[in-house]
Amino acid sequence: MLCAWFIPLFTSITSLIFGYDEADLIFVGDAMQHKAQLEAARSCKEYDYTGYFDAIMPIVAGADLAVVNLETPVGDPPHTGYPCFNAPPAFVDALAAAGFDLFLTANNHTLDRGHRGLRSTLSVLDDRELLHIGTYSDLTARSEALPRILDVNAFKIGFLNYTYGTNGIQPRDGVVVDYIDRTLIKSDVEAARKAGAELICVCIHWGDEYRLLPNSTQRHLADFLEAIGVDMIIGAHPHVIQPMELRPNRYNPSRNILLVYSLGNFVSNMKTADTRGGSMVHVKLFRGDDKKAVIKDADYRLLFTVPGTHPADGFRVLEADSVKSTLWKPRAAEFARRARAIFDKHNIGVKEAAQP
C-alpha cells in the first residue's frame, strides 16, 4: 500500500509519463441552519462551529474542488432558522475551513432576508474570497461573473446554478437570482462552451420536497439539459436523496452524463428518517491520450447529522455507518437502509464508495 503522502506525488509522476490528467470533484447537498443549530453553536455573542465537519474534512479537503449548496442567507443579526433563514458568517467560515471551494446561492431561501440579505451573503463570500454562483448584486455583476469557468487540475469546467423559485419573494433593488428558464440556461451553456469550457455542470434547485423519486418536471428538465450538452446535473431541494445516473448521453453517446436528482440534506435539523442525512457524490474526471475530458467514474457516501445542545457537544456531520451514539445509531441505520434501497433499485452506474 502506498503511503498517503506519496499518492499525489505518484499520480503526478504517472500523469507526466503516461500523458493523462485526473481530477476529483465533491458535491454535497443543502447546508442549512435551523434554530436548534444556531442555539447549539452560540457562545455568548459569538458562534462556534468547532467540530461540525471534522469527520468528513479529510474527504472534502482532499478533492480538487468541493461544492456545497448554501441554503441560507448569511449576515448580521438577528440570526434565525426556519421559515426565514439568516445564518452568521461563522457558518461560512466553518464550511470553508472544511474544504468547500464553491458555494451555490440560487435556492428557494436566498431571498429570505430580501435584497439586503442576498447582498449581505455575497459580501460575506467575497470578503473571504470564496467562489459562488447563482445570485448576483445586479446585472452587471452577473455579466462579469459568467461564464464561470474553473480550472480544476487543467480541466476547464463551466458551472451554472438555478432555482425553481424563492418562496414567492421577488427580487428587488436590482438583485439577480438565476431562476430556471430554458432560454436563459441554453444561452448560458452556449456561452460557457464558447468561452472554452470542456465540461458543463448545472447545479439546480428543483423537485418536490420529501419525495425519494424525481417528479416529471425534473425528468423533463433533465432531458432538456442532456439534449443541450450539459455533462453534470446536480440537484438539490427535496431535502431527501433521489437517484443518480452515470451513463452515455443519449443525444451524444461519445460523452458521459452524470445526473443526480437530489443530494438531500448536508447539514440540518430536520427530523424525519429521510431528512436527517444526505449523500456526498465523488466524481472522477479523466483525460487520456486523445486529450478529451470525460467523466470517468462517480460514487457516493451517505452522511448523517447528529445534533448537539452546546458548542462542546455541537452538531456533527458523520458518515452514516460511523455513528456511535446509542440514541442516533439506529436512526442513522434507518436513514442508510432507506437511502440504499432507493439507490440499489434506481441508480445507474453510480455505486456506494468502498469503505476503507
Side-chain angles (χ1 to χ4, degrees):
M1 176 181 286
L2 294 173
C3 295
W5 62 266
F6 186 70
I7 293 175
L9 177 63
F10 178 80
T11 301
S12 299
I13 293 173
T14 53
S15 176
L16 290 171
I17 294 173
F18 297 106
Y20 66 79
D21 295 316
E22 291 186 342
D24 294 289
L25 310 180
I26 289 289
F27 296 90
V28 299
D30 303 335
M32 311 184 76
Q33 281 291 281
H34 289 94
K35 180 180 179 182
Q37 294 170 278
L38 293 168
E39 291 175 347
R42 186 164 185 174
S43 176
C44 297
K45 294 182 180 180
E46 303 297 327
Y47 286 85
D48 183 359
Y49 292 94
T50 301
Y52 237 62
F53 307 117
D54 284 1
I56 61 165
M57 187 184 298
I59 303 170
V60 176
D64 297 303
L65 185 81
V67 183
V68 59
N69 176 45
L70 182 63
E71 193 156 2
T72 174
V74 178
D76 294 330
H79 297 121
T80 53
Y82 183 84
C84 287
F85 291 102
N86 184 39
F91 183 52
V92 164
D93 293 335
L95 289 165
F100 288 103
D101 307 290
L102 178 61
F103 289 71
L104 309 175
T105 58
N107 56 67
N108 60 304
H109 287 288
T110 197
L111 288 176
D112 278 6
R113 289 301 174 119
H115 61 278
R116 292 184 180 86
L118 185 151
R119 287 198 172 105
S120 173
T121 303
L122 300 180
S123 179
V124 168
L125 294 170
D126 288 338
D127 287 348
R128 289 151 176 78
E129 298 184 343
L130 296 170
L131 299 170
H132 54 86
I133 54 170
T135 59
Y136 309 92
S137 59
D138 53 38
L139 284 171
T140 299
R142 186 185 194 276
S143 66
E144 292 173 348
L146 299 181
R148 172 71 77 182
I149 300 176
L150 302 183
D151 188 322
V152 184
N153 270 16
F155 291 87
K156 296 187 181 302
I157 308 172
F159 286 90
L160 297 163
N161 179 212
Y162 307 92
T163 180
Y164 74 92
T166 47
N167 293 344
I169 306 172
Q170 298 302 311
R172 295 175 53 198
D173 197 42
V175 301
V176 177
V177 177
D178 275 351
Y179 294 105
I180 295 171
D181 177 297
R182 294 192 180 201
T183 301
L184 175 67
I185 294 172
K186 188 172 187 294
S187 176
D188 288 344
V189 168
E190 290 173 350
R193 289 286 187 202
K194 186 176 181 180
E198 300 174 278
L199 299 168
I200 302 289
C201 177
V202 170
C203 299
I204 193 159
H205 216 68
W206 61 357
D208 294 328
E209 292 184 336
Y210 319 124
R211 288 190 56 180
L212 292 165
L213 294 176
N215 62 27
S216 60
T217 299
Q218 286 172 276
R219 294 186 183 278
H220 291 152
L221 185 53
D223 185 69
F224 165 76
L225 295 171
E226 183 174 359
I228 64 174
V230 173
D231 301 284
M232 291 175 273
I233 305 168
I234 309 295
H237 174 63
H239 299 301
V240 296
I241 60 91
Q242 290 181 346
M244 314 168 184
E245 302 176 8
L246 176 60
R247 52 172 173 74
N249 184 307
R250 290 169 295 181
Y251 301 91
N252 183 1
S254 66
R255 300 180 68 91
N256 281 341
I257 182 172
L258 173 66
L259 169 56
V260 178
Y261 279 109
S262 175
L263 290 163
N265 287 332
F266 172 52
V267 59
S268 79
N269 191 45
M270 289 190 171
K271 303 186 187 313
T272 66
D274 296 325
T275 60
R276 197 85 224 182
S279 56
M280 171 192 287
V281 172
H282 163 235
V283 185
K284 174 74 74 176
L285 306 182
F286 179 81
R287 188 200 316 279
D289 292 337
D290 62 3
K291 305 303 180 184
K292 293 181 179 179
V294 298
I295 304 170
K296 181 180 179 181
D297 194 17
D299 58 35
Y300 71 87
R301 297 173 185 268
L302 295 176
L303 306 180
F304 189 82
T305 298
V306 175
T309 56
H310 53 82
D313 184 28
F315 281 67
R316 299 288 187 271
V317 178
L318 307 173
E319 291 197 59
D321 291 342
S322 72
V323 175
K324 305 297 185 185
S325 161
T326 302
L327 173 63
W328 291 102
K329 183 174 181 177
R331 301 190 191 191
E334 175 66 6
F335 159 75
R337 182 190 67 78
R338 291 172 62 84
R340 287 178 177 129
I342 292 293
F343 289 152
D344 290 347
K345 183 175 181 179
H346 298 282
N347 276 18
I348 299 173
V350 184
K351 295 183 178 181
E352 188 166 6
Q355 296 300 312

